Amino acid sequence: MSHAFELLQQKVHHHLEVIYQSVDSVDDITGLADELINVMRLAQVQEEPVPHQNHWSQSDCILITYGDSVKMEGEKPLHTLLSFLDQYCNGLINSVHILPFFPYTSDDGFAVMNFSAVNEALGEWSDIEDISKRYRLMSDLVINHCSSRSMWFENYKAGRHPGRDFFVEMEDPDADLRAVVRPRTSPLLRPTETVEGMKHVWCTFSHDQVDLDFKNPTVLKEFVGIIRHYLDRGVNIFRLDAVAFLWKELGTSCINLLETHETVRLLRTLIEYAQPDAVIITETNIPNRENLSYFGNANEAHCIYNFSLPPLLVNTLITGDCRYLKQWQMSMPPAQNGTAYFNFIASHDGIGLRPAEGLLQDDEIDVLINTMQSFGGRVSWRAAEGGKNKPYEINIALFDALQGTIKGPDRWGIDRFICAHAIMLGLEGIPGIYIHSLVATSNDYERVKHTNHNRAINRHQWDYPKLTEALEQSHTQHRKVYDRLKRLIAIRSVQEAFHPNATQFTLHLGYQLFGFWRQSINRRQSIFCISNVSDQEQHILLSEINLIGTDRWIDLISNSVFESIEEGLTLQPYQTVWITNTPISD
């Protein structure tokens, strides 16, 4: 028995002791630890994972997409997606997050019927493997719940295994559940007829998404087996969907509980021993401080979604005032080596508002909501204390969200949109770009009407020949945005100072100029990132940003050279500069 294996046993045993310390029915922790290790096929492990190792660099950029965001008649969507990746992303984006590609019943994939199969309408496992051979593959582990039409839930209703004890039952449906944090307005409990009579099962998100009971270790074993299966199929990055709600304990908020955090640590241990360069990203759409807790002590999630960035950045660009974005950035701790922020500003869901709580004032959130609604956006709600509903997220395509300011639409839409991405691409962390941002897709009102779901507004399905035509014509918004984003990503990918863990400091340039300084880990390169977030010209002296006078400085984006730090710099509305002393190119 190797030393690495003994250490693995000790770690897994400790995790399980913490997770199940208050579950009386779980008494054989050693046996359970051995089972999990065997499921992950780690009995012959010889090496320990290297701690605090960064499995990413400035060259990493993740495209976020559904398996059928691009479609072509007569072809499986996963084939079409690979064609799109090779034609428009090769050499530009090296990683792809394919949103749930499993058989499902609702929520565009997040009500999973079978975690181990590929949705036949999309393709098959060989298609997933083909993509994983050419791009680093990120997959959802929809760990909190499954479809009400899954085999597990059908078995639950029939009293059969596996499934009969996989779900959270409430013996007293009238119990006080007011402390439970909810992301939706639907009733928490679902009445369900079973062979043992009427039961009430827990449904955090919808009655088609039934929460799994991780107090039953068999559920944990099932998901460890699913993880092993995904690794075998080429998945390298695991997005733990809605993981904050994993553990339920009456009398608590049932969010961010100790057992939930320890379960993430357990999964990280097992995944790291199985594949040392694999990465866990936690998807926790919650207030900023709670979100940060999923880093643990560099022993939990490798990466966390930077959920506060989208609402703060959109607020900045529609108001022309970066004070709240700046305050938040100064409060953010640098990620330790072995961890990183996952930055994004658009997603398949929407602009989350819970991550803005405590960062934006209520009246500012109201202005943000009203402005987005005037640009065609929708609002989704959640249940809050006292039986009231609160805005949960804004559903809108980012291209339309940035078409104007609080004063209304204007002529700066594309520049404002590019500015948002230039800021995101420069920040500490790994950037994720939603496919509909890369190609400047607008609000899809027909899809909202067809599905009756607000989120569908930003889940357009492109006919691939039509998308290709739009991207080949120089005058379209799609081509203009694609070309400019492509150039920014290419520049970013080779600059050492844009490493996800490179040093970052906030610059103080007033409220219309948002700026920060990045310095490479080896200290050879500095980049000063400055964006005009207003619709008016802004002027600055280079000496105001502490450039070293003996160095030669150049803006990577415009290729402008600055001969002296005494020069003045005029930034046009929504212009960004990346000023460096050591430009790096291919």
Side-chain angles (χ1 to χ4, degrees):
M1 183 182 297
S2 69
H3 175 71
F5 181 76
E6 289 181 353
L7 186 60
L8 171 62
Q9 280 186 313
Q10 292 170 15
K11 287 182 177 180
V12 173
H13 193 279
H14 170 73
H15 293 314
L16 293 171
E17 279 188 326
V18 174
I19 294 168
Y20 292 110
Q21 59 186 324
S22 60
V23 182
D24 295 336
S25 60
V26 180
D27 49 17
D28 185 10
I29 295 295
T30 300
L32 178 57
D34 289 341
E35 286 185 77
L36 297 181
I37 289 170
N38 288 332
V39 168
M40 286 291 280
R41 302 199 300 271
L42 297 176
Q44 303 302 317
V45 68
Q46 298 294 318
E47 294 184 3
E48 301 168 26
V50 178
H52 302 291
Q53 192 168 33
N54 296 324
H55 301 298
W56 42 79
S57 74
Q58 60 272 17
S59 65
D60 287 307
C61 186
I62 300 177
L63 183 77
I64 305 165
T65 180
Y66 279 101
D68 57 1
S69 290
V70 288
K71 302 173 73 173
M72 188 156 63
E73 188 175 349
E75 184 174 83
K76 291 290 188 180
L78 288 173
H79 285 225
T80 311
L81 176 60
L82 182 55
S83 296
F84 172 81
L85 291 169
D86 286 346
Q87 184 171 356
Y88 293 104
C89 301
N90 191 25
L92 174 70
I93 285 169
N94 64 1
S95 308
V96 58
H97 171 203
I98 306 178
L99 289 151
F101 47 79
F102 320 106
Y104 72 96
T105 52
S106 64
D107 199 16
D108 280 352
F110 287 94
V112 179
M113 292 181 67
N114 183 347
F115 291 90
S116 299
V118 174
N119 182 354
E120 291 181 359
L122 297 178
E124 52 194 40
W125 277 115
S126 60
D127 301 314
I128 294 295
E129 291 170 347
D130 286 344
I131 292 172
S132 74
K133 291 171 185 174
R134 289 145 84 169
Y135 301 89
R136 195 174 188 187
L137 180 60
M138 177 169 160
S139 170
D140 289 273
L141 186 69
V142 187
I143 196 169
N144 181 71
H145 49 261
C146 68
S147 168
S148 65
R149 288 168 50 196
S150 65
M151 180 192 71
W152 287 347
F153 198 63
E154 291 297 329
N155 284 351
Y156 165 76
K157 292 188 289 185
R160 297 189 299 260
H161 290 294
R164 65 177 295 176
D165 51 0
F166 276 20
F167 300 93
V168 182
E169 291 181 356
M170 283 295 298
E171 293 184 9
D172 178 10
D174 297 319
D176 186 357
L177 299 172
R178 287 176 296 177
V180 176
V181 170
R182 296 296 315 287
R184 301 288 185 272
T185 57
S186 58
L188 177 60
L189 301 181
R190 167 193 162 130
T192 302
E193 192 64 53
T194 74
V195 292
E196 297 179 356
M198 182 64 71
K199 303 289 185 180
H200 293 81
V201 293
W202 196 286
C203 297
T204 297
F205 289 88
S206 78
H207 283 192
D208 190 39
Q209 294 165 292
V210 192
D211 285 40
L212 293 152
D213 186 3
F214 276 81
K215 289 183 179 178
N216 178 357
T218 305
V219 174
L220 177 62
K221 283 188 285 186
E222 287 280 359
F223 273 90
V224 170
I226 290 165
I227 289 170
R228 179 67 264 179
H229 179 57
Y230 291 0
L231 284 169
D232 292 341
R233 295 295 192 171
V235 173
N236 187 262
I237 307 172
F238 292 84
R239 177 186 185 268
L240 303 191
D241 176 66
V243 70
F245 301 94
L246 189 73
W247 197 269
K248 282 78 179 175
E249 200 69 56
L250 287 182
T252 74
S253 64
C254 297
I255 189 171
N256 307 323
L257 299 187
L258 178 149
E259 294 87 350
T260 294
H261 282 281
E262 197 65 39
T263 300
V264 177
R265 294 185 188 113
L266 167 66
L267 297 181
R268 172 165 176 162
T269 294
L270 292 170
I271 289 171
E272 279 191 328
Y273 273 86
Q275 187 168 322
D277 67 343
V279 169
I280 286 176
I281 298 182
T282 48
E283 187 270 333
T284 48
N285 191 357
I286 52 180
N288 191 57
R289 184 168 296 186
E290 298 171 32
N291 190 33
L292 287 168
S293 70
Y294 282 86
F295 275 142
N297 186 23
N299 62 347
E300 204 163 321
H302 295 88
C303 304
I304 62 171
Y305 271 73
N306 215 345
F307 271 110
S308 295
L309 179 59
L312 292 177
L313 185 50
V314 172
N315 174 75
T316 292
L317 290 167
I318 66 167
T319 62
D321 187 330
C322 68
R323 73 183 66 198
Y324 297 104
L325 180 64
K326 185 174 161 183
Q327 288 171 4
W328 165 76
Q329 181 170 276
M330 288 190 293
S331 73
M332 293 292 280
Q336 298 183 54
N337 280 328
T339 67
Y341 292 106
F342 180 60
N343 294 326
F344 74 106
I345 50 177
S347 77
H348 62 289
D349 287 341
I351 301 170
L353 294 174
R354 287 214 73 207
E357 291 177 8
L359 301 174
L360 290 177
Q361 302 296 324
D362 288 346
D363 58 339
E364 270 121 14
I365 291 177
D366 289 340
V367 169
L368 175 61
I369 290 172
N370 292 336
T371 304
M372 294 301 99
Q373 287 178 316
S374 75
F375 294 160
R378 307 288 196 270
V379 178
S380 294
W381 301 80
R382 68 179 180 91
E385 294 180 12
K388 296 181 180 179
N389 292 338
K390 291 190 67 174
Y392 179 67
E393 68 185 13
I394 302 168
N395 306 114
I396 190 170
L398 185 65
F399 186 78
D400 284 350
L402 296 175
Q403 65 182 273
T405 68
I406 57 176
K407 297 178 286 188
D410 60 25
R411 63 190 178 95
W412 302 107
I414 289 180
D415 293 316
R416 191 179 293 109
F417 186 77
I418 297 301
C419 179
H421 285 85
I423 289 172
M424 187 263 286
L425 288 167
L427 287 171
E428 173 191 356
I430 302 166
I433 297 183
Y434 190 35
I435 187 171
H436 293 303
S437 293
L438 183 66
V439 299
T441 309
S442 295
N443 291 335
D444 189 337
Y445 301 111
E446 282 299 313
R447 193 164 170 79
V448 173
K449 183 178 178 181
H450 177 71
T451 64
N452 201 31
H453 290 296
N454 287 346
R455 285 178 166 179
I457 199 170
N458 197 23
R459 297 179 179 180
H460 181 70
Q461 292 180 323
W462 273 100
D463 175 68
Y464 190 38
K466 289 184 179 178
L467 176 59
T468 299
E469 181 182 358
L471 289 174
E472 294 304 317
Q473 297 180 30
S474 61
H475 67 278
T476 66
Q477 68 188 41
H478 314 288
R479 174 63 180 272
K480 290 175 181 177
V481 164
Y482 171 77
D483 282 348
R484 291 178 68 176
L485 287 182
K486 181 178 179 180
R487 185 165 182 274
L488 287 177
I489 295 167
I491 294 170
R492 178 194 184 278
S493 69
V494 294
Q495 310 304 320
E496 294 175 348
F498 282 146
H499 186 284
N501 295 90
T503 298
Q504 176 174 291
F505 288 107
T506 304
L507 302 177
H508 298 280
L509 305 171
Y511 293 139
Q512 282 67 57
L513 292 174
F514 179 66
F516 50 93
W517 168 53
R518 304 293 309 279
Q519 185 182 55
S520 61
I521 295 171
N522 59 22
R523 300 189 178 184
R524 287 188 302 200
Q525 184 187 36
S526 287
I527 301 178
F528 291 85
C529 306
I530 304 170
S531 296
N532 178 0
V533 298
S534 78
D535 58 4
Q536 302 294 318
E537 283 188 357
Q538 300 295 324
H539 307 277
I540 186 174
L541 292 174
L542 294 179
S543 58
E544 292 180 47
I545 56 176
N546 296 323
L547 301 185
I548 299 173
T550 56
D551 286 358
R552 181 174 180 268
W553 297 90
I554 184 171
D555 171 26
L556 293 168
I557 298 175
S558 68
N559 291 319
S560 299
V561 177
F562 305 104
E563 301 296 343
S564 167
I565 63 170
E566 300 306 319
E567 288 186 42
L569 175 64
T570 298
L571 276 78
Q572 297 303 311
Y574 307 106
Q575 182 185 352
T576 295
V577 291
W578 287 345
I579 301 175
T580 186
N581 57 340
T582 313
I584 302 171
S585 64
D586 291 326

